[in-house]
Amino acid sequence: MFAIPEKFLLSLIMCLLLPAAPAFSEETPGAADLLLSGGKAMKSQDFDTAKRDYLKACDLGNAEGCRWYGFLHSSPNLMKAPATENDFARGLLYLAKACELGDAPSCAVGGKLAIDGGPGVAPDLSRGLSLYEKACDLGENSVCGVAGYLYAFRKENPDYEKGIPLMEKSCAGGDNAICAVLGELYEKGPSGIRNEARAMELYKKVCDLGMKRACEKLK
């Protein structure tokens, strides 16, 4: 079986950390200043002030404020911020809120955290997949493939009807690792989904891009 890389999470977290212009709308004009002050507080490691400002921005309906507030709570070690009781659950809650407001990285990171679980929060595959699908809908192509993979290859009740279209979408968007996995699924999967012609088409696609294992499938 071809393995899918999990580098997507790191890239999504980097998206969170890279400087960006404050995201705000006419409906939340005060959020810009709060995001800037929160960012300055973060740089000086004044995490209490950062959380306060990001929460205020979030309460104004600003997705970026919800994202940073959730991220500070759910990943305090990465941010070198002090951890407090119920941090993980609160962080996941606000990442989900940012996701609802249309913030794709929050959907992706929130999905990963929900699936893995954390202090005081049991792993929840269903909740995680829901967040992943939202991230996919918002344009996070790699997450489409991961969600599809989890649907198709979960141990209990694999869902090919949901999984394959998500993997096809990811493959079409340039995720070559998922193309290879999908090819093997079409080649060796249950009889109802086997499609040798499509499998060979996918193998050729990734072979042409230099994936030697896929080339071997064409011999």
Side-chain angles (χ1 to χ4, degrees):
M1 173 62 67
F2 288 97
I4 58 171
E6 295 192 11
K7 293 181 180 178
F8 79 96
L9 180 61
L10 177 60
S11 66
L12 292 171
I13 290 176
M14 289 305 297
C15 287
L16 292 172
L17 299 177
L18 287 172
F24 62 97
S25 67
E26 293 180 357
E27 296 179 357
T28 59
D33 290 338
L34 290 166
L35 293 176
L36 289 172
S37 62
K40 290 178 181 178
M42 286 257 294
K43 288 181 180 179
S44 64
Q45 296 193 333
D46 182 359
F47 296 109
D48 287 339
T49 297
K51 288 178 180 178
R52 180 199 67 200
D53 290 344
Y54 288 137
L55 178 58
K56 286 182 178 179
C58 179
D59 288 343
L60 289 172
N62 179 271
E64 192 173 344
C66 299
R67 178 213 299 174
W68 277 107
Y69 184 75
F71 194 66
L72 275 169
H73 278 280
S74 63
S75 306
N77 293 334
L78 183 62
M79 302 307 300
K80 298 181 180 179
T84 59
E85 189 176 0
N86 299 322
D87 258 346
F88 188 85
R90 188 169 183 81
L92 184 53
L93 177 67
Y94 276 85
L95 285 169
K97 183 173 182 178
C99 177
E100 291 173 4
L101 292 170
D103 189 66
S106 293
C107 302
V109 175
K112 173 67 173 172
L113 294 176
I115 289 170
D116 289 348
V121 178
D124 189 337
L125 179 61
S126 178
R127 183 182 187 187
L129 284 171
S130 177
L131 290 166
Y132 274 170
E133 287 190 79
K134 179 68 172 177
C136 175
D137 291 342
L138 291 169
E140 289 289 354
N141 184 65
S142 292
V143 184
C144 302
V146 173
Y149 183 92
L150 290 172
Y151 272 121
F153 291 97
R154 62 188 180 188
K155 293 181 180 179
E156 296 183 5
N157 302 317
D159 190 337
Y160 301 112
E161 188 174 343
K162 282 189 175 181
I164 288 177
L166 287 166
M167 294 172 75
E168 285 280 12
K169 181 176 181 179
S170 184
C171 176
D175 192 331
N176 298 322
I178 285 293
C179 293
V181 172
L182 188 57
E184 192 154 354
L185 182 60
Y186 281 129
E187 179 191 9
K188 299 180 179 180
S191 59
I193 62 170
R194 286 186 187 177
N195 185 333
E196 186 174 353
R198 179 60 176 151
M200 294 302 111
E201 181 181 347
L202 290 169
Y203 287 150
K204 185 178 186 309
K205 175 180 179 179
V206 292
C207 173
D208 291 344
L209 293 170
M211 189 175 287
K212 293 182 179 179
R213 287 188 62 193
C215 298
E216 293 172 2
K217 295 282 188 177
L218 299 172
K219 295 178 181 179

PDB file of all heavy atoms in Angstrom, residues 17 37-55 68-69 71-73 75-84 87:
ATOM      1  N   LEU A  17       1.184  30.507  11.407  1.00  0.00           N
ATOM      2  CA  LEU A  17       2.256  31.261  12.036  1.00  0.00           C
ATOM      3  C   LEU A  17       2.810  32.363  11.156  1.00  0.00           C
ATOM      4  O   LEU A  17       3.401  33.316  11.656  1.00  0.00           O
ATOM      5  CB  LEU A  17       3.398  30.307  12.418  1.00  0.00           C
ATOM      6  CG  LEU A  17       3.027  29.207  13.426  1.00  0.00           C
ATOM      7  CD1 LEU A  17       4.212  28.296  13.664  1.00  0.00           C
ATOM      8  CD2 LEU A  17       2.574  29.826  14.735  1.00  0.00           C
ATOM      9  N   SER A  37      -2.631  44.112  18.119  1.00  0.00           N
ATOM     10  CA  SER A  37      -2.173  44.153  19.507  1.00  0.00           C
ATOM     11  C   SER A  37      -1.944  42.738  20.043  1.00  0.00           C
ATOM     12  O   SER A  37      -1.008  42.497  20.819  1.00  0.00           O
ATOM     13  CB  SER A  37      -3.170  44.908  20.385  1.00  0.00           C
ATOM     14  OG  SER A  37      -4.434  44.265  20.404  1.00  0.00           O
ATOM     15  N   GLY A  38      -2.781  41.797  19.606  1.00  0.00           N
ATOM     16  CA  GLY A  38      -2.576  40.412  20.005  1.00  0.00           C
ATOM     17  C   GLY A  38      -1.263  39.867  19.470  1.00  0.00           C
ATOM     18  O   GLY A  38      -0.543  39.146  20.174  1.00  0.00           O
ATOM     19  N   GLY A  39      -0.941  40.224  18.229  1.00  0.00           N
ATOM     20  CA  GLY A  39       0.316  39.785  17.637  1.00  0.00           C
ATOM     21  C   GLY A  39       1.519  40.353  18.364  1.00  0.00           C
ATOM     22  O   GLY A  39       2.518  39.659  18.593  1.00  0.00           O
ATOM     23  N   LYS A  40       1.444  41.613  18.733  1.00  0.00           N
ATOM     24  CA  LYS A  40       2.544  42.230  19.483  1.00  0.00           C
ATOM     25  C   LYS A  40       2.709  41.570  20.844  1.00  0.00           C
ATOM     26  O   LYS A  40       3.831  41.334  21.305  1.00  0.00           O
ATOM     27  CB  LYS A  40       2.277  43.729  19.643  1.00  0.00           C
ATOM     28  CG  LYS A  40       2.384  44.524  18.350  1.00  0.00           C
ATOM     29  CD  LYS A  40       2.059  45.997  18.588  1.00  0.00           C
ATOM     30  CE  LYS A  40       2.150  46.798  17.293  1.00  0.00           C
ATOM     31  NZ  LYS A  40       1.786  48.228  17.494  1.00  0.00           N
ATOM     32  N   ALA A  41       1.592  41.271  21.484  1.00  0.00           N
ATOM     33  CA  ALA A  41       1.644  40.607  22.792  1.00  0.00           C
ATOM     34  C   ALA A  41       2.263  39.215  22.659  1.00  0.00           C
ATOM     35  O   ALA A  41       3.031  38.777  23.527  1.00  0.00           O
ATOM     36  CB  ALA A  41       0.245  40.511  23.389  1.00  0.00           C
ATOM     37  N   MET A  42       1.962  38.531  21.564  1.00  0.00           N
ATOM     38  CA  MET A  42       2.540  37.208  21.338  1.00  0.00           C
ATOM     39  C   MET A  42       4.053  37.297  21.226  1.00  0.00           C
ATOM     40  O   MET A  42       4.783  36.487  21.803  1.00  0.00           O
ATOM     41  CB  MET A  42       1.974  36.617  20.043  1.00  0.00           C
ATOM     42  CG  MET A  42       0.549  36.156  20.159  1.00  0.00           C
ATOM     43  SD  MET A  42       0.388  34.381  20.289  1.00  0.00           S
ATOM     44  CE  MET A  42       0.977  33.872  18.696  1.00  0.00           C
ATOM     45  N   LYS A  43       4.539  38.280  20.473  1.00  0.00           N
ATOM     46  CA  LYS A  43       5.979  38.422  20.266  1.00  0.00           C
ATOM     47  C   LYS A  43       6.707  38.674  21.582  1.00  0.00           C
ATOM     48  O   LYS A  43       7.839  38.240  21.765  1.00  0.00           O
ATOM     49  CB  LYS A  43       6.259  39.549  19.274  1.00  0.00           C
ATOM     50  CG  LYS A  43       5.889  39.212  17.838  1.00  0.00           C
ATOM     51  CD  LYS A  43       6.211  40.363  16.894  1.00  0.00           C
ATOM     52  CE  LYS A  43       5.834  40.008  15.456  1.00  0.00           C
ATOM     53  NZ  LYS A  43       6.108  41.119  14.519  1.00  0.00           N
ATOM     54  N   SER A  44       6.063  39.377  22.480  1.00  0.00           N
ATOM     55  CA  SER A  44       6.674  39.651  23.783  1.00  0.00           C
ATOM     56  C   SER A  44       6.325  38.581  24.816  1.00  0.00           C
ATOM     57  O   SER A  44       6.651  38.722  25.994  1.00  0.00           O
ATOM     58  CB  SER A  44       6.235  41.033  24.286  1.00  0.00           C
ATOM     59  OG  SER A  44       4.831  41.062  24.508  1.00  0.00           O
ATOM     60  N   GLN A  45       5.643  37.520  24.341  1.00  0.00           N
ATOM     61  CA  GLN A  45       5.232  36.384  25.184  1.00  0.00           C
ATOM     62  C   GLN A  45       4.298  36.807  26.320  1.00  0.00           C
ATOM     63  O   GLN A  45       4.284  36.191  27.383  1.00  0.00           O
ATOM     64  CB  GLN A  45       6.461  35.647  25.733  1.00  0.00           C
ATOM     65  CG  GLN A  45       7.300  35.008  24.636  1.00  0.00           C
ATOM     66  CD  GLN A  45       8.327  34.034  25.169  1.00  0.00           C
ATOM     67  OE1 GLN A  45       8.783  34.156  26.302  1.00  0.00           O
ATOM     68  NE2 GLN A  45       8.699  33.057  24.362  1.00  0.00           N
ATOM     69  N   ASP A  46       3.523  37.842  26.054  1.00  0.00           N
ATOM     70  CA  ASP A  46       2.469  38.251  26.986  1.00  0.00           C
ATOM     71  C   ASP A  46       1.194  37.528  26.555  1.00  0.00           C
ATOM     72  O   ASP A  46       0.309  38.094  25.917  1.00  0.00           O
ATOM     73  CB  ASP A  46       2.288  39.770  26.944  1.00  0.00           C
ATOM     74  CG  ASP A  46       1.230  40.269  27.920  1.00  0.00           C
ATOM     75  OD1 ASP A  46       0.624  39.427  28.620  1.00  0.00           O
ATOM     76  OD2 ASP A  46       1.001  41.494  27.968  1.00  0.00           O
ATOM     77  N   PHE A  47       1.104  36.249  26.896  1.00  0.00           N
ATOM     78  CA  PHE A  47       0.049  35.408  26.359  1.00  0.00           C
ATOM     79  C   PHE A  47      -1.330  35.744  26.924  1.00  0.00           C
ATOM     80  O   PHE A  47      -2.338  35.552  26.247  1.00  0.00           O
ATOM     81  CB  PHE A  47       0.389  33.942  26.585  1.00  0.00           C
ATOM     82  CG  PHE A  47       1.617  33.505  25.838  1.00  0.00           C
ATOM     83  CD1 PHE A  47       2.795  33.234  26.518  1.00  0.00           C
ATOM     84  CD2 PHE A  47       1.611  33.393  24.461  1.00  0.00           C
ATOM     85  CE1 PHE A  47       3.933  32.840  25.828  1.00  0.00           C
ATOM     86  CE2 PHE A  47       2.742  33.004  23.763  1.00  0.00           C
ATOM     87  CZ  PHE A  47       3.910  32.724  24.445  1.00  0.00           C
ATOM     88  N   ASP A  48      -1.393  36.243  28.132  1.00  0.00           N
ATOM     89  CA  ASP A  48      -2.684  36.630  28.691  1.00  0.00           C
ATOM     90  C   ASP A  48      -3.309  37.760  27.884  1.00  0.00           C
ATOM     91  O   ASP A  48      -4.501  37.734  27.574  1.00  0.00           O
ATOM     92  CB  ASP A  48      -2.526  37.058  30.155  1.00  0.00           C
ATOM     93  CG  ASP A  48      -2.268  35.878  31.082  1.00  0.00           C
ATOM     94  OD1 ASP A  48      -2.596  34.743  30.685  1.00  0.00           O
ATOM     95  OD2 ASP A  48      -1.736  36.099  32.177  1.00  0.00           O
ATOM     96  N   THR A  49      -2.479  38.747  27.535  1.00  0.00           N
ATOM     97  CA  THR A  49      -2.971  39.864  26.716  1.00  0.00           C
ATOM     98  C   THR A  49      -3.329  39.385  25.317  1.00  0.00           C
ATOM     99  O   THR A  49      -4.353  39.788  24.750  1.00  0.00           O
ATOM    100  CB  THR A  49      -1.916  40.978  26.630  1.00  0.00           C
ATOM    101  OG1 THR A  49      -1.677  41.497  27.950  1.00  0.00           O
ATOM    102  CG2 THR A  49      -2.389  42.123  25.733  1.00  0.00           C
ATOM    103  N   ALA A  50      -2.498  38.504  24.752  1.00  0.00           N
ATOM    104  CA  ALA A  50      -2.770  37.985  23.411  1.00  0.00           C
ATOM    105  C   ALA A  50      -4.105  37.248  23.383  1.00  0.00           C
ATOM    106  O   ALA A  50      -4.935  37.477  22.495  1.00  0.00           O
ATOM    107  CB  ALA A  50      -1.646  37.060  22.966  1.00  0.00           C
ATOM    108  N   LYS A  51      -4.322  36.395  24.368  1.00  0.00           N
ATOM    109  CA  LYS A  51      -5.583  35.655  24.419  1.00  0.00           C
ATOM    110  C   LYS A  51      -6.766  36.609  24.580  1.00  0.00           C
ATOM    111  O   LYS A  51      -7.808  36.429  23.938  1.00  0.00           O
ATOM    112  CB  LYS A  51      -5.551  34.652  25.567  1.00  0.00           C
ATOM    113  CG  LYS A  51      -4.637  33.465  25.341  1.00  0.00           C
ATOM    114  CD  LYS A  51      -4.629  32.538  26.560  1.00  0.00           C
ATOM    115  CE  LYS A  51      -3.715  31.347  26.351  1.00  0.00           C
ATOM    116  NZ  LYS A  51      -3.665  30.466  27.533  1.00  0.00           N
ATOM    117  N   ARG A  52      -6.609  37.603  25.422  1.00  0.00           N
ATOM    118  CA  ARG A  52      -7.694  38.558  25.647  1.00  0.00           C
ATOM    119  C   ARG A  52      -8.058  39.269  24.352  1.00  0.00           C
ATOM    120  O   ARG A  52      -9.238  39.392  24.002  1.00  0.00           O
ATOM    121  CB  ARG A  52      -7.265  39.581  26.707  1.00  0.00           C
ATOM    122  CG  ARG A  52      -8.332  40.637  27.040  1.00  0.00           C
ATOM    123  CD  ARG A  52      -7.693  41.835  27.714  1.00  0.00           C
ATOM    124  NE  ARG A  52      -6.809  42.543  26.793  1.00  0.00           N
ATOM    125  CZ  ARG A  52      -5.838  43.378  27.176  1.00  0.00           C
ATOM    126  NH1 ARG A  52      -5.609  43.575  28.470  1.00  0.00           N
ATOM    127  NH2 ARG A  52      -5.090  43.985  26.276  1.00  0.00           N
ATOM    128  N   ASP A  53      -7.036  39.747  23.623  1.00  0.00           N
ATOM    129  CA  ASP A  53      -7.314  40.497  22.399  1.00  0.00           C
ATOM    130  C   ASP A  53      -7.870  39.605  21.295  1.00  0.00           C
ATOM    131  O   ASP A  53      -8.789  40.007  20.566  1.00  0.00           O
ATOM    132  CB  ASP A  53      -6.036  41.200  21.920  1.00  0.00           C
ATOM    133  CG  ASP A  53      -5.629  42.344  22.827  1.00  0.00           C
ATOM    134  OD1 ASP A  53      -6.466  42.791  23.636  1.00  0.00           O
ATOM    135  OD2 ASP A  53      -4.469  42.802  22.733  1.00  0.00           O
ATOM    136  N   TYR A  54      -7.335  38.420  21.174  1.00  0.00           N
ATOM    137  CA  TYR A  54      -7.851  37.509  20.149  1.00  0.00           C
ATOM    138  C   TYR A  54      -9.280  37.086  20.459  1.00  0.00           C
ATOM    139  O   TYR A  54     -10.106  36.953  19.543  1.00  0.00           O
ATOM    140  CB  TYR A  54      -6.950  36.285  20.015  1.00  0.00           C
ATOM    141  CG  TYR A  54      -5.623  36.559  19.358  1.00  0.00           C
ATOM    142  CD1 TYR A  54      -4.453  36.008  19.857  1.00  0.00           C
ATOM    143  CD2 TYR A  54      -5.539  37.368  18.220  1.00  0.00           C
ATOM    144  CE1 TYR A  54      -3.232  36.263  19.247  1.00  0.00           C
ATOM    145  CE2 TYR A  54      -4.331  37.624  17.610  1.00  0.00           C
ATOM    146  CZ  TYR A  54      -3.171  37.063  18.130  1.00  0.00           C
ATOM    147  OH  TYR A  54      -1.962  37.309  17.519  1.00  0.00           O
ATOM    148  N   LEU A  55      -9.578  36.893  21.730  1.00  0.00           N
ATOM    149  CA  LEU A  55     -10.945  36.523  22.099  1.00  0.00           C
ATOM    150  C   LEU A  55     -11.908  37.663  21.777  1.00  0.00           C
ATOM    151  O   LEU A  55     -13.023  37.431  21.279  1.00  0.00           O
ATOM    152  CB  LEU A  55     -11.020  36.173  23.585  1.00  0.00           C
ATOM    153  CG  LEU A  55     -12.405  35.806  24.115  1.00  0.00           C
ATOM    154  CD1 LEU A  55     -12.986  34.618  23.353  1.00  0.00           C
ATOM    155  CD2 LEU A  55     -12.347  35.503  25.610  1.00  0.00           C
ATOM    156  N   TRP A  68      -6.542  32.168  16.289  1.00  0.00           N
ATOM    157  CA  TRP A  68      -5.388  32.344  17.169  1.00  0.00           C
ATOM    158  C   TRP A  68      -5.738  32.037  18.626  1.00  0.00           C
ATOM    159  O   TRP A  68      -4.929  31.459  19.351  1.00  0.00           O
ATOM    160  CB  TRP A  68      -4.832  33.753  17.037  1.00  0.00           C
ATOM    161  CG  TRP A  68      -3.919  33.899  15.861  1.00  0.00           C
ATOM    162  CD1 TRP A  68      -4.178  34.545  14.695  1.00  0.00           C
ATOM    163  CD2 TRP A  68      -2.604  33.365  15.744  1.00  0.00           C
ATOM    164  NE1 TRP A  68      -3.105  34.437  13.847  1.00  0.00           N
ATOM    165  CE2 TRP A  68      -2.124  33.722  14.468  1.00  0.00           C
ATOM    166  CE3 TRP A  68      -1.790  32.614  16.581  1.00  0.00           C
ATOM    167  CZ2 TRP A  68      -0.853  33.356  14.025  1.00  0.00           C
ATOM    168  CZ3 TRP A  68      -0.523  32.257  16.132  1.00  0.00           C
ATOM    169  CH2 TRP A  68      -0.072  32.633  14.876  1.00  0.00           C
ATOM    170  N   TYR A  69      -6.922  32.417  19.035  1.00  0.00           N
ATOM    171  CA  TYR A  69      -7.334  32.118  20.410  1.00  0.00           C
ATOM    172  C   TYR A  69      -7.402  30.602  20.604  1.00  0.00           C
ATOM    173  O   TYR A  69      -6.906  30.058  21.599  1.00  0.00           O
ATOM    174  CB  TYR A  69      -8.688  32.755  20.702  1.00  0.00           C
ATOM    175  CG  TYR A  69      -9.151  32.579  22.136  1.00  0.00           C
ATOM    176  CD1 TYR A  69      -8.590  33.324  23.167  1.00  0.00           C
ATOM    177  CD2 TYR A  69     -10.147  31.660  22.448  1.00  0.00           C
ATOM    178  CE1 TYR A  69      -9.008  33.156  24.483  1.00  0.00           C
ATOM    179  CE2 TYR A  69     -10.576  31.484  23.754  1.00  0.00           C
ATOM    180  CZ  TYR A  69     -10.004  32.237  24.766  1.00  0.00           C
ATOM    181  OH  TYR A  69     -10.413  32.057  26.069  1.00  0.00           O
ATOM    182  N   PHE A  71      -5.873  28.334  18.810  1.00  0.00           N
ATOM    183  CA  PHE A  71      -4.563  27.739  18.637  1.00  0.00           C
ATOM    184  C   PHE A  71      -3.707  27.909  19.894  1.00  0.00           C
ATOM    185  O   PHE A  71      -2.988  26.986  20.298  1.00  0.00           O
ATOM    186  CB  PHE A  71      -3.868  28.370  17.435  1.00  0.00           C
ATOM    187  CG  PHE A  71      -2.658  27.609  16.979  1.00  0.00           C
ATOM    188  CD1 PHE A  71      -2.785  26.329  16.454  1.00  0.00           C
ATOM    189  CD2 PHE A  71      -1.397  28.162  17.061  1.00  0.00           C
ATOM    190  CE1 PHE A  71      -1.676  25.616  16.033  1.00  0.00           C
ATOM    191  CE2 PHE A  71      -0.287  27.458  16.638  1.00  0.00           C
ATOM    192  CZ  PHE A  71      -0.420  26.182  16.118  1.00  0.00           C
ATOM    193  N   LEU A  72      -3.783  29.068  20.526  1.00  0.00           N
ATOM    194  CA  LEU A  72      -3.030  29.297  21.755  1.00  0.00           C
ATOM    195  C   LEU A  72      -3.462  28.335  22.857  1.00  0.00           C
ATOM    196  O   LEU A  72      -2.647  27.891  23.667  1.00  0.00           O
ATOM    197  CB  LEU A  72      -3.216  30.741  22.223  1.00  0.00           C
ATOM    198  CG  LEU A  72      -2.281  31.769  21.593  1.00  0.00           C
ATOM    199  CD1 LEU A  72      -2.730  33.183  21.930  1.00  0.00           C
ATOM    200  CD2 LEU A  72      -0.848  31.559  22.061  1.00  0.00           C
ATOM    201  N   HIS A  73      -4.741  28.021  22.889  1.00  0.00           N
ATOM    202  CA  HIS A  73      -5.243  27.112  23.917  1.00  0.00           C
ATOM    203  C   HIS A  73      -4.962  25.649  23.584  1.00  0.00           C
ATOM    204  O   HIS A  73      -4.618  24.863  24.467  1.00  0.00           O
ATOM    205  CB  HIS A  73      -6.748  27.315  24.119  1.00  0.00           C
ATOM    206  CG  HIS A  73      -7.076  28.455  25.021  1.00  0.00           C
ATOM    207  ND1 HIS A  73      -7.013  28.364  26.392  1.00  0.00           N
ATOM    208  CD2 HIS A  73      -7.456  29.735  24.747  1.00  0.00           C
ATOM    209  CE1 HIS A  73      -7.348  29.526  26.931  1.00  0.00           C
ATOM    210  NE2 HIS A  73      -7.620  30.374  25.957  1.00  0.00           N
ATOM    211  N   SER A  75      -2.649  24.336  21.509  1.00  0.00           N
ATOM    212  CA  SER A  75      -1.246  23.990  21.259  1.00  0.00           C
ATOM    213  C   SER A  75      -0.305  24.879  22.074  1.00  0.00           C
ATOM    214  O   SER A  75       0.584  25.518  21.517  1.00  0.00           O
ATOM    215  CB  SER A  75      -0.931  24.124  19.768  1.00  0.00           C
ATOM    216  OG  SER A  75      -1.842  23.373  18.997  1.00  0.00           O
ATOM    217  N   PRO A  76      -0.482  24.946  23.391  1.00  0.00           N
ATOM    218  CA  PRO A  76       0.338  25.851  24.197  1.00  0.00           C
ATOM    219  C   PRO A  76       1.823  25.525  24.155  1.00  0.00           C
ATOM    220  O   PRO A  76       2.663  26.428  24.212  1.00  0.00           O
ATOM    221  CB  PRO A  76      -0.225  25.683  25.617  1.00  0.00           C
ATOM    222  CG  PRO A  76      -0.866  24.340  25.611  1.00  0.00           C
ATOM    223  CD  PRO A  76      -1.415  24.170  24.220  1.00  0.00           C
ATOM    224  N   ASN A  77       2.169  24.242  24.012  1.00  0.00           N
ATOM    225  CA  ASN A  77       3.585  23.878  23.996  1.00  0.00           C
ATOM    226  C   ASN A  77       4.288  24.429  22.768  1.00  0.00           C
ATOM    227  O   ASN A  77       5.420  24.922  22.852  1.00  0.00           O
ATOM    228  CB  ASN A  77       3.739  22.355  24.050  1.00  0.00           C
ATOM    229  CG  ASN A  77       3.286  21.771  25.369  1.00  0.00           C
ATOM    230  OD1 ASN A  77       3.313  22.449  26.381  1.00  0.00           O
ATOM    231  ND2 ASN A  77       2.877  20.515  25.355  1.00  0.00           N
ATOM    232  N   LEU A  78       3.615  24.344  21.620  1.00  0.00           N
ATOM    233  CA  LEU A  78       4.202  24.856  20.387  1.00  0.00           C
ATOM    234  C   LEU A  78       4.421  26.355  20.476  1.00  0.00           C
ATOM    235  O   LEU A  78       5.413  26.890  19.999  1.00  0.00           O
ATOM    236  CB  LEU A  78       3.294  24.520  19.194  1.00  0.00           C
ATOM    237  CG  LEU A  78       3.819  24.929  17.820  1.00  0.00           C
ATOM    238  CD1 LEU A  78       5.122  24.218  17.503  1.00  0.00           C
ATOM    239  CD2 LEU A  78       2.788  24.625  16.746  1.00  0.00           C
ATOM    240  N   MET A  79       3.484  27.040  21.104  1.00  0.00           N
ATOM    241  CA  MET A  79       3.579  28.493  21.216  1.00  0.00           C
ATOM    242  C   MET A  79       4.369  28.928  22.452  1.00  0.00           C
ATOM    243  O   MET A  79       4.542  30.107  22.695  1.00  0.00           O
ATOM    244  CB  MET A  79       2.163  29.089  21.288  1.00  0.00           C
ATOM    245  CG  MET A  79       1.274  28.757  20.098  1.00  0.00           C
ATOM    246  SD  MET A  79       2.024  29.173  18.518  1.00  0.00           S
ATOM    247  CE  MET A  79       2.254  30.929  18.735  1.00  0.00           C
ATOM    248  N   LYS A  80       4.849  27.928  23.237  1.00  0.00           N
ATOM    249  CA  LYS A  80       5.585  28.218  24.472  1.00  0.00           C
ATOM    250  C   LYS A  80       4.744  29.056  25.433  1.00  0.00           C
ATOM    251  O   LYS A  80       5.241  29.930  26.137  1.00  0.00           O
ATOM    252  CB  LYS A  80       6.914  28.911  24.166  1.00  0.00           C
ATOM    253  CG  LYS A  80       7.861  28.048  23.338  1.00  0.00           C
ATOM    254  CD  LYS A  80       9.181  28.737  23.077  1.00  0.00           C
ATOM    255  CE  LYS A  80      10.097  27.840  22.249  1.00  0.00           C
ATOM    256  NZ  LYS A  80      11.403  28.496  21.961  1.00  0.00           N
ATOM    257  N   ALA A  81       3.453  28.784  25.419  1.00  0.00           N
ATOM    258  CA  ALA A  81       2.526  29.491  26.300  1.00  0.00           C
ATOM    259  C   ALA A  81       2.183  28.582  27.475  1.00  0.00           C
ATOM    260  O   ALA A  81       2.199  27.360  27.336  1.00  0.00           O
ATOM    261  CB  ALA A  81       1.257  29.869  25.542  1.00  0.00           C
ATOM    262  N   PRO A  82       1.882  29.140  28.627  1.00  0.00           N
ATOM    263  CA  PRO A  82       1.525  28.307  29.778  1.00  0.00           C
ATOM    264  C   PRO A  82       0.199  27.600  29.558  1.00  0.00           C
ATOM    265  O   PRO A  82      -0.751  28.179  29.024  1.00  0.00           O
ATOM    266  CB  PRO A  82       1.431  29.320  30.922  1.00  0.00           C
ATOM    267  CG  PRO A  82       1.147  30.623  30.256  1.00  0.00           C
ATOM    268  CD  PRO A  82       1.863  30.582  28.944  1.00  0.00           C
ATOM    269  N   ALA A  83       0.139  26.340  29.960  1.00  0.00           N
ATOM    270  CA  ALA A  83      -1.090  25.563  29.812  1.00  0.00           C
ATOM    271  C   ALA A  83      -1.953  25.705  31.052  1.00  0.00           C
ATOM    272  O   ALA A  83      -1.444  25.830  32.163  1.00  0.00           O
ATOM    273  CB  ALA A  83      -0.747  24.097  29.589  1.00  0.00           C
ATOM    274  N   THR A  84      -3.247  25.729  30.847  1.00  0.00           N
ATOM    275  CA  THR A  84      -4.190  25.798  31.964  1.00  0.00           C
ATOM    276  C   THR A  84      -5.222  24.692  31.803  1.00  0.00           C
ATOM    277  O   THR A  84      -5.339  24.077  30.744  1.00  0.00           O
ATOM    278  CB  THR A  84      -4.902  27.161  32.020  1.00  0.00           C
ATOM    279  OG1 THR A  84      -5.603  27.376  30.785  1.00  0.00           O
ATOM    280  CG2 THR A  84      -3.899  28.291  32.217  1.00  0.00           C
ATOM    281  N   ASP A  87      -7.625  23.594  28.593  1.00  0.00           N
ATOM    282  CA  ASP A  87      -7.103  24.310  27.432  1.00  0.00           C
ATOM    283  C   ASP A  87      -7.483  23.631  26.118  1.00  0.00           C
ATOM    284  O   ASP A  87      -7.922  24.283  25.177  1.00  0.00           O
ATOM    285  CB  ASP A  87      -5.576  24.403  27.505  1.00  0.00           C
ATOM    286  CG  ASP A  87      -5.107  25.771  27.969  1.00  0.00           C
ATOM    287  OD1 ASP A  87      -5.927  26.697  27.981  1.00  0.00           O
ATOM    288  OD2 ASP A  87      -3.932  25.910  28.318  1.00  0.00           O
TER     289      ASP A  87
END
